[in-house]
Amino acid sequence: MTPMRVALHSVLRPGTEADYDREHERIPADLAAAFDRVGIHEWTIWRVGDRLFHLVECDDFDAALRALADDPANERWQARIGRFVDRFVGGTGGAPAPLPEVWDLRRQRQDSSGSSSR
């Protein structure tokens, strides 16, 4: 199975940026192990001001979220980190919602390699 990439956008509560960054210096080992179990291979977060941009590489994002919903490591992490996150953009009820992909250079190159050049 080819891993999927999912982009997310969330917003921090005002004034929590430094604390959020500090909490992410190293996530708990049991949470990283839970990510492995549910098929999350990579999760990168960029921050600009109070805006967070996430890139998740996983087997199945929706299935991973369902599997994490009752995971004790994730519950502890959400209780800890949830105080910093105001919302996910595009999500309902504060839940993460993947951003629609607009363009992918790698895919364009792959598509173009099969066609003849002009």
Side-chain angles (χ1 to χ4, degrees), residues 25-77:
E25 288 175 4
R26 186 167 186 89
I27 67 167
D30 60 346
L31 181 62
F35 285 173
D36 288 341
R37 280 193 307 277
V38 302
I40 295 175
H41 308 290
E42 186 63 51
W43 193 315
T44 306
I45 304 171
W46 294 267
R47 183 177 64 75
V48 177
D50 65 348
R51 302 298 173 134
L52 301 170
F53 300 91
H54 312 246
L55 180 61
V56 183
E57 295 181 20
C58 57
D59 295 332
D60 182 326
F61 184 70
D62 292 331
L65 288 186
R66 284 191 306 273
L68 287 171
D70 297 325
D71 185 279
N74 185 58
E75 288 176 344
R76 284 190 297 276
W77 179 250

Side-chain angles (χ1 to χ4, degrees), residues 2-117:
T2 303
M4 64 188 304
R5 295 181 313 159
V6 176
L8 306 169
H9 177 195
S10 57
V11 181
L12 293 174
R13 296 181 198 285
T16 64
E17 296 86 355
D19 292 329
Y20 182 88
D21 290 357
R22 196 169 19 264
E23 289 290 332
H24 280 83
E25 288 175 4
R26 186 167 186 89
I27 67 167
D30 60 346
L31 181 62
F35 285 173
D36 288 341
R37 280 193 307 277
V38 302
I40 295 175
H41 308 290
E42 186 63 51
W43 193 315
T44 306
I45 304 171
W46 294 267
R47 183 177 64 75
V48 177
D50 65 348
R51 302 298 173 134
L52 301 170
F53 300 91
H54 312 246
L55 180 61
V56 183
E57 295 181 20
C58 57
D59 295 332
D60 182 326
F61 184 70
D62 292 331
L65 288 186
R66 284 191 306 273
L68 287 171
D70 297 325
D71 185 279
N74 185 58
E75 288 176 344
R76 284 190 297 276
W77 179 250
Q78 295 307 320
R80 183 171 159 184
I81 207 68
R83 62 188 172 175
F84 305 117
V85 180
D86 182 50
R87 69 189 182 283
F88 276 86
V89 176
T92 57
L99 299 172
E101 185 176 290
V102 175
W103 176 75
D104 182 322
L105 177 61
R106 183 179 315 148
R107 187 172 301 118
Q108 179 176 320
R109 286 178 173 157
Q110 289 171 343
D111 293 347
S112 296
S113 67
S115 63
S116 60
S117 58

